[in-house]
Amino acid sequence: MQETMQERSSEKEGLFADLIVVGSGPAGLAAFAAASDQGLQNILCLEREKLPGGRLRRKDEEEAGREIFHRAIGSAACLKHFLSLLENYELSVSCGCELRETKFSGADRERPFSLLVRQYEGKEKHFFCRALILATGEASSPEGPTLLPCPGESPEASSRPLPAGLFLAGELRRKCPLPDDAARDGAEAGRRASDYLLSDQPKSR
């Protein structure tokens, strides 16, 4: 089932991964780590900003890390520890990638999700994956012809069903007052995504 990340081509060439995590804040980083712990290897993280970290880089939250590292160490130290921990996972983050459009094709079981990304230099690139975790935060949401929910809208609140293989994490799914809350939610999404990909009969989301 596992395969190395490779260039795929359809109408346009793009990069393929078994799992793509969009967003590298505490939810996205925790999702990546949890999926890796479950045995998933071919994972890519896409980040809109120039550096990973999300709210940990933008906000000074003194309580950050209390539940993750069992003591309050603040945003900057929490991010430092997070990135140091994830070096063991060979985290692959593509920064400067703004998600412009997502598409889902239930007929394509090998790569049902197609993502159109605009990079800083203005170039557009396509990515394909078998499962997708959106951890972009409440303020942002991909646009385009897709079944994805609106910003901040939970799967239960949306009248549109989520496609199989799509998982929401962090503040895109629910309010997360602390980075620890977002990380816990992201870890759950990572485990669910890996279960979905590694099991012959994916578990219900």
Side-chain angles (χ1 to χ4, degrees):
M1 178 180 294
Q2 297 292 334
E3 59 182 317
T4 57
M5 203 171 295
Q6 57 184 289
E7 292 292 331
R8 292 291 188 90
S9 62
S10 57
E11 295 179 359
K12 298 180 180 179
E13 288 194 355
L15 201 62
F16 172 85
D18 283 321
L19 173 64
I20 290 181
V21 179
V22 181
S24 68
L29 294 176
F32 184 98
S36 296
D37 283 339
Q38 296 288 97
L40 204 61
Q41 297 176 0
N42 188 12
I43 312 173
L44 176 65
C45 185
L46 301 178
E47 170 56 49
R48 181 179 61 181
E49 299 180 8
K50 294 181 179 180
L51 295 170
R55 65 188 285 183
L56 293 174
R57 190 173 296 281
R58 294 190 304 269
K59 298 180 181 179
D60 182 16
E61 299 182 275
E62 296 181 356
E63 292 297 308
R66 181 174 295 278
E67 294 188 31
I68 303 171
F69 301 107
H70 307 294
R71 60 192 176 97
I73 57 178
S75 294
C78 189
L79 176 59
K80 181 179 179 180
H81 283 291
F82 235 135
L83 295 180
S84 177
L85 175 68
L86 289 171
E87 285 182 1
N88 298 325
Y89 295 100
E90 298 181 359
L91 174 63
S92 177
V93 181
S94 292
C95 293
C97 293
E98 181 183 4
L99 184 59
R100 302 296 296 170
E101 182 181 82
T102 59
K103 293 182 180 179
F104 173 76
S105 173
D108 191 344
R109 299 188 63 181
E110 288 300 312
R111 46 179 186 174
F113 294 98
S114 170
L115 289 71
L116 176 63
V117 167
R118 179 178 295 169
Q119 299 171 313
Y120 274 138
E121 59 270 25
K123 295 180 180 178
E124 291 189 338
K125 191 170 186 178
H126 281 79
F127 293 82
F128 303 95
C129 59
R130 295 173 53 225
L132 174 65
I133 295 178
L134 294 179
T136 56
E138 184 180 28
S140 61
S141 175
E143 299 176 355
T146 177
L147 297 176
L148 304 188
C150 298
E153 191 175 55
S154 69
E156 294 77 17
S158 175
S159 59
R160 293 160 291 173
L162 292 178
L166 171 65
F167 304 87
L168 307 184
E171 291 191 351
L172 188 61
R173 191 174 77 89
R174 65 181 181 88
K175 290 290 184 180
C176 296
L178 294 175
D180 300 60
D181 299 321
R184 189 185 310 107
D185 201 73
E188 181 183 354
R191 288 189 291 269
R192 289 180 176 178
S194 60
D195 284 346
Y196 175 81
L197 290 171
L198 297 174
S199 174
D200 290 336
Q201 294 183 340
K203 296 180 180 179
S204 171
R205 297 176 298 127

